[in-house]
Amino acid sequence: VYTAFEPDARWGWREYAVVKVWDVATGAVTKLSSKSRLFMPDIDPQGSKVVAVQVTTNLQHNLVLMPVKADAESQLLSNPDEWLYTYPKFADAQTIIAAVRNKQGEMSVAEINMHTGDRKLLFPFVNNVFSYLQVYGDSVLLTAGGGDADRLLLLRRSTGAFSVLSQLPNGSYQAVADAERGRLVFNTFTAEGYRLLQKQYDSAPLPLPSIGTVSNLYLSAKSFAAGTDLVQQVQQQPGSISRYRQ
């Protein structure tokens, strides 16, 4: 399942993102939406429905459930707190896992019941960035900011505990689990571009006592008050200067 760019047939300033499903066995492509603005779709294991993030022209975010077959209507899940949803994934027959951001710019990971709309945070909101979610039972693979580079983490849904799976100098992204071979496949950036890496899955990964936070990048109204020198408010960050290793 994927999203496809689709411009308006007449108005050049009007653009859409539609959801399509490709049957790898037959090569048939099914279009599930028209004149929509849907992003980051995921398809359930049975191949019967798709969840995607709907972004309206006034920047409202909602999760939308769409049937693959045209014998049922799409379902819009409520979003009373106006969270920003990213990377929704099916966890089981009734649960969706998604990264969420609140109005303060903080992020967490939430469980959403697709039947009742009930939502549960797996850990409190923090000033960090979470992306590239993949769900395997009680385990959630994700990338999070930390230190000098983005880390690949394992989140346990049952406990909210984090463990470190990979911490490379240039980050670890878009991980998937290869259960048959007991390994992880992910990518990182090198001097020659992005590279796919693989490593054996660690059954006892290094626990992460605290997810930590990243530097506060948000400016308040006071930052723009008359006589305020923004340059003087820039925080000095720890680190060292060295030659780039190729």
Side-chain angles (χ1 to χ4, degrees):
V1 63
Y2 61 96
T3 55
F5 171 75
E6 192 170 90
D8 188 88
R10 180 175 182 181
W11 306 109
W13 50 266
R14 185 178 293 167
E15 300 172 347
Y16 303 104
V18 300
V19 173
K20 296 184 178 182
V21 176
W22 176 42
D23 189 325
V24 296
T26 65
V29 176
T30 303
K31 184 177 176 180
L32 301 186
S33 66
S34 298
K35 294 185 177 181
S36 59
R37 294 177 176 87
L38 299 170
F39 304 91
M40 293 175 277
D42 185 45
I43 193 167
D44 70 345
Q46 293 73 35
S48 61
K49 55 181 173 287
V50 168
V51 62
V53 178
Q54 175 183 271
V55 182
T56 65
T57 54
N58 60 348
L59 301 183
Q60 296 297 309
H61 290 69
N62 290 93
L63 293 181
V64 178
L65 288 170
M66 296 173 290
V68 173
K69 296 183 178 179
D71 56 355
E73 295 183 355
S74 298
Q75 176 186 355
L76 186 69
L77 301 182
S78 63
N79 186 11
D81 297 310
E82 298 183 356
W83 288 345
L84 190 156
Y85 289 105
T86 51
Y87 303 101
K89 299 293 179 183
F90 286 102
D92 51 48
Q94 66 178 14
T95 309
I96 296 170
I97 305 295
V100 294
R101 186 188 300 273
N102 62 19
K103 294 182 179 180
Q104 289 71 45
E106 301 166 322
M107 292 195 72
S108 181
V109 176
E111 291 183 351
I112 303 100
N113 188 304
M114 68 181 77
H115 302 303
T116 66
D118 293 340
R119 305 179 300 175
K120 170 190 172 184
L121 293 178
L122 298 184
F123 55 91
F125 280 107
V126 295
N127 183 34
N128 207 318
V129 180
F130 305 104
S131 58
Y132 304 121
L133 274 64
Q134 293 290 345
V135 182
Y136 303 93
D138 187 52
S139 302
V140 180
L141 301 181
L142 55 85
T143 294
D148 296 329
D150 297 328
R151 301 172 292 187
L152 174 60
L153 303 181
L154 170 67
L155 168 64
R156 295 293 185 187
R157 294 169 53 194
S158 56
T159 62
F162 284 94
S163 301
V164 179
L165 297 178
S166 175
Q167 188 167 357
L168 300 177
N170 292 328
S172 305
Y173 306 97
Q174 298 172 312
V176 294
D178 183 351
E180 293 184 0
R181 297 178 175 83
R183 64 180 182 176
L184 295 173
V185 179
F186 55 98
N187 73 59
T188 190
F189 184 75
T190 71
E192 299 177 346
Y194 282 97
R195 293 292 181 90
L196 282 178
L197 304 177
Q198 62 179 359
K199 64 174 294 187
Q200 290 302 118
Y201 180 76
D202 188 354
S203 59
L206 179 66
L208 185 65
S210 174
I211 186 59
T213 61
V214 296
S215 300
N216 188 3
L217 303 178
Y218 306 104
L219 299 176
S220 65
K222 296 181 179 179
S223 301
F224 299 96
T228 301
D229 189 349
L230 291 179
V231 176
Q232 296 300 323
Q233 297 183 22
V234 176
Q235 300 177 4
Q236 183 69 30
Q237 299 297 319
S240 58
I241 301 176
S242 60
R243 293 181 60 85
Y244 183 73
R245 295 180 59 188
Q246 298 188 10

